[in-house]
Amino acid sequence: MEDRKLTVRAVERALDILLCFTTRSDLGLTEIASQIGLHKSTVHRLMATLEDRGFVIRDAATEKYRLGIRIWSCPLICPAVMIPPFCSCLRWSD
């Protein structure tokens, strides 16, 4: 039996898109597509989903995207999960 990764391609692609924002704060579709090696139409559909969920926002004037409020709220939703166990000094107090 061959070894297969148990991953979902759409999730991998969405995460690759989010990782593009580690080097720049705002990016256009062409820049993102080029960075991750996908067609612009594919990136557009993924960005529409990420935008709908609040993970990215699009500036209508520049047509560039940046990370949305939802990405920043993730650690606030469940802070104990987001802090690695070796960082016990950073745990939230009850």
Side-chain angles (χ1 to χ4, degrees):
M1 182 150 63
E2 71 183 66
D3 249 353
R4 289 190 180 166
K5 291 190 317 180
L6 296 176
T7 60
V8 178
R9 188 166 57 175
V11 175
E12 288 177 338
R13 289 174 170 181
L15 292 171
D16 287 342
I17 286 171
L18 293 175
L19 289 172
C20 288
F21 292 93
T22 60
T23 56
R24 293 215 7 234
S25 62
D26 62 337
L27 296 163
L29 278 178
T30 304
E31 295 164 303
I32 296 167
S34 163
Q35 231 176 327
I36 61 176
L38 292 175
H39 291 282
K40 247 174 93 169
S41 60
T42 302
V43 173
H44 181 267
R45 289 191 309 273
L46 290 163
M47 293 304 283
T49 303
L50 290 169
E51 184 177 15
D52 184 58
R53 299 296 180 131
F55 286 93
V56 297
I57 53 177
R58 186 176 68 85
D59 183 326
T62 65
E63 296 195 4
K64 292 197 178 223
Y65 293 86
R66 64 178 189 267
L67 294 176
I69 190 87
R70 189 80 180 265
I71 198 82
W72 305 113
S73 68
C74 287
L76 300 175
I77 294 168
C78 189
V81 173
M82 301 305 290
I83 300 172
F86 56 85
C87 295
S88 59
C89 61
L90 300 176
R91 293 243 182 247
W92 295 84
S93 58
D94 293 339

